[in-house]
Amino acid sequence: MENLLAGQPFLVVRGQLIFRRDEEWVITGIHPGQHFTADEYRELPEGAPYQLINNELMLMPSPFERHQLVVGNLYMALTTHVRRHRLGAVRIAPMDVYLDENNVVQPDILFILEARREVIANPILGAPDLVVEVLSRATESLDRGPKRDLYARHGVQEYWIIDPEKQVVEVYTLQAEALILNHIYPSGTIRSSLLAGFEVEMDTLFEA
């Protein structure tokens, strides 16, 4: 088994998660429709590429370079603004966010207002105020569907969906317990209704 892992903390093979815990080997079968809880999610090895969405473990493959480029550019811009004005805290994936006992997600970028700093722990215990998801082929349906619904239900105030291929940014705001599309940016300057004074140019997001 040691040779199979080749020094890695875990291995995913045909729906089986293989890892070592307390000097014992654990093989966990993970299949579509199988029911898991947040307590069971906690038993997975650190860094296991899953998120818990509506009691189902969803495999999240490693993102492509363009995805990471956009995440990095926006994270730097957000962090600079938030620190300068002492608005709260910005975090970047992978960082577990426990929404409830059925849902543990890892937004690409999240922001928490200073007044709610008490939710910041390892993991984050509660919904962020702003969530950003950068689309990939593997995650787009989740980001636009179940995860957007979850973020709305748990009180995320603002939600950005960034398409790195089309170079478009969609900004959603919470209205009557639903995240409603507020603005689509194909170019120009993106502004946040939550973060006073924050602006970022579209060209900056996609700049290599």
Side-chain angles (χ1 to χ4, degrees), residues 45-138:
E46 183 178 355
Y50 292 94
Q51 296 181 46
L52 182 66
I53 300 175
N54 296 326
N55 292 114
E56 187 172 348
L57 286 177
M58 301 291 188
L59 179 64
M60 300 293 172
S62 296
F64 290 118
E65 189 274 340
R66 179 169 288 275
H67 177 283
Q68 295 302 81
L69 170 71
V70 174
V71 169
N73 286 342
L74 181 55
Y75 175 74
M76 286 191 293
L78 273 172
T79 300
T80 299
H81 181 82
V82 167
R83 287 179 176 172
R84 179 180 297 147
H85 299 283
R86 298 182 180 180
L87 300 176
V90 183
R91 297 291 184 266
I92 193 169
M95 183 78 193
D96 284 337
V97 176
Y98 279 70
L99 297 175
D100 57 38
E101 282 305 307
N102 305 316
N103 295 283
V104 184
V105 294
Q106 293 184 358
D108 287 319
I109 300 175
L110 62 90
F111 164 73
I112 295 171
L113 288 164
E114 186 66 29
R116 299 184 60 243
R117 186 174 280 272
E118 72 276 1
V119 307
I120 301 174
N122 189 17
I124 303 293
L125 300 174
D129 295 288
L130 167 69
V131 166
V132 178
E133 297 284 11
V134 179
L135 299 181
S136 66
R137 291 180 182 177

Side-chain angles (χ1 to χ4, degrees), residues 25 39 41 43-45 59 72 169 171 174 177-178 193 201:
W25 291 105
D39 285 339
Y41 178 90
E43 296 299 316
L44 298 181
L59 179 64
V169 177
V171 176
L174 189 64
E177 300 183 356
S193 60
E201 297 296 326

Side-chain angles (χ1 to χ4, degrees), residues 158-164 166-173 181-194 198-203 205-206:
E158 189 169 302
Y159 181 39
W160 292 22
I161 292 179
I162 302 178
D163 189 327
K166 297 179 180 178
Q167 298 194 4
V168 170
V169 177
E170 302 169 14
V171 176
Y172 296 77
T173 54
L181 182 60
N182 185 50
H183 206 291
I184 299 177
Y185 293 91
S187 61
T189 304
I190 310 168
R191 295 178 174 86
S192 167
S193 60
L194 183 70
F198 178 71
E199 297 181 349
V200 61
E201 297 296 326
M202 285 286 291
D203 290 345
L205 286 186
F206 305 103

Side-chain angles (χ1 to χ4, degrees), residues 12-18 27-37 40 44 49-59:
V12 180
V13 180
R14 296 182 180 179
Q16 305 290 316
L17 178 64
I18 305 169
I27 301 178
T28 302
I30 299 173
H31 308 287
Q34 189 174 355
H35 186 281
F36 288 85
T37 67
E40 291 168 322
L44 298 181
Y50 292 94
Q51 296 181 46
L52 182 66
I53 300 175
N54 296 326
N55 292 114
E56 187 172 348
L57 286 177
M58 301 291 188
L59 179 64

